Amino acid sequence: MNESELKSMIQNILTEITDEQSKAASSKSTDTNDVSDEVLPDISEIDLKKQFLVPNPHDKEGYLKIKSFTPARLGMWRTGTRYKTASILRFRADHAAAQDAVFSDVDPELPKKMGFLETQTTCESKDEYLTRPDRGRKFDDEMIKKIKDNVTSHPKIQMIVGDGLSSAAIEANIPDIIPAIQQGLKVYGLSFETKDVIFVKYARVGAEDHMGEITDADVVCMLVGERPGLVTAKSMSAYIAYKPTIGMAESKRTVVSNIHDGGLPAVEAGAYIAEMLDKMLRLKKSGIELKAAENAEK
């Protein structure tokens, strides 16, 4: 076989291989045109308090009773030395939700829809907010002027909504808790207008101290998204202080925490916060000083 014949044979073989691959790809493409309408169940909707994967338990009812008191991942069981696939997928889903809550911003339509005054700390980005907590506790001159020009001076109650470390917590709870607080305050003859509520982007808890000095409010209540965990990414807290100032001791804050569907519901939390605001205004104290004053009243 000479060189010319060898080249011709190789060319014919390559042509046949290429034709076969083209036919296979075309057949595969035709097969994938049939898209299934099947929808897989959302694994994040599984109630961890009810999920029980232990085979042949000695006391299943007793185990489930224990699980009913905690969202901890009990009774997940294993395959060999590894967790079962369902447990791993749920863990990854919860971890992803926690990351999303930290790294995403609050829907910009929420403060507009609620009618809040929109402000921002000296942080310029989410990365700066996460790496420079000090900049999330103060406002620049432009923001200070905006606040003073648009909210009531020296209010009895200054409400703040800060995104904090969970945008999901703010979006899930704020629409319910603000009206609940307003309704609860009516019992005590107190109120605040929604237009005076200040939304703070890139907010740390300490931002309420600077806000206290800017507004000269008697009491400042800051609703802020908390660092999410694997149980929920929607937990919010209320940090309340009587006449807060920059550099004040943390012991002067009163905290209402664990506000979310699986903890203290937003409406119930709103009623309790209203009660705390009334106590602070009457006793002119907050934090451990408020607790001491309450004990003295008994």
Side-chain angles (χ1 to χ4, degrees), residues 3 13 67 97 107 116 133 188 255 261 294:
E3 183 178 349
I13 291 172
K67 284 176 65 68
D107 182 352
F116 299 158
Y188 308 104
V255 184
D261 286 344
E294 286 181 293

Side-chain angles (χ1 to χ4, degrees), residues 137-269:
R137 302 186 184 110
K138 56 189 178 182
F139 302 88
D140 60 24
D141 292 340
E142 181 181 351
M143 282 298 157
I144 292 173
K145 184 178 186 305
K146 181 178 181 179
I147 293 166
K148 288 185 174 181
D149 289 346
N150 289 279
V151 300
T152 303
S153 179
H154 187 55
K156 284 185 177 294
I157 299 169
Q158 179 60 60
M159 294 296 303
I160 308 172
V161 174
D163 52 5
L165 287 166
S166 176
S167 59
I170 298 304
E171 293 174 4
N173 295 294
I174 289 302
D176 292 328
I177 199 170
I178 291 295
I181 297 173
Q182 290 175 314
Q183 185 65 32
L185 286 174
K186 290 180 180 179
V187 177
Y188 308 104
L190 298 169
S191 65
F192 64 84
E193 292 190 44
T194 305
K195 69 177 183 63
D196 286 330
V197 177
I198 301 173
F199 175 78
V200 183
K201 189 174 183 178
Y202 304 141
R204 296 281 178 173
V205 173
E208 82 167 346
D209 302 344
H210 196 186
M211 193 69 74
E213 295 189 355
I214 295 170
T215 63
D216 193 27
D218 289 338
V219 175
V220 178
C221 176
M222 183 174 193
L223 303 169
V224 63
E226 291 288 16
R227 181 183 292 104
L230 293 174
V231 174
T232 179
K234 299 179 180 180
S235 182
M236 185 180 75
S237 291
Y239 291 84
I240 319 171
Y242 182 78
K243 290 188 178 296
T245 56
I246 295 174
M248 76 171 193
E250 290 298 313
S251 61
K252 290 190 176 182
R253 294 189 215 280
T254 295
V255 184
V256 181
S257 60
N258 207 35
I259 303 172
H260 61 90
D261 286 344
L264 183 63
V267 173
E268 187 176 336

Side-chain angles (χ1 to χ4, degrees), residues 53-99:
L53 304 177
V54 178
N56 305 315
H58 175 68
D59 183 6
K60 182 176 180 179
E61 294 304 317
Y63 211 142
L64 287 172
K65 184 176 181 181
I66 293 173
K67 284 176 65 68
S68 69
F69 293 105
T70 174
R73 293 160 201 264
L74 305 177
M76 297 293 100
W77 205 240
R78 63 186 183 277
T79 298
T81 59
R82 301 182 180 184
Y83 290 113
K84 295 177 79 68
T85 300
S87 299
I88 294 173
L89 291 176
R90 177 57 190 268
F91 180 91
R92 293 179 66 178
D94 290 341
H95 186 253
Q99 287 185 310

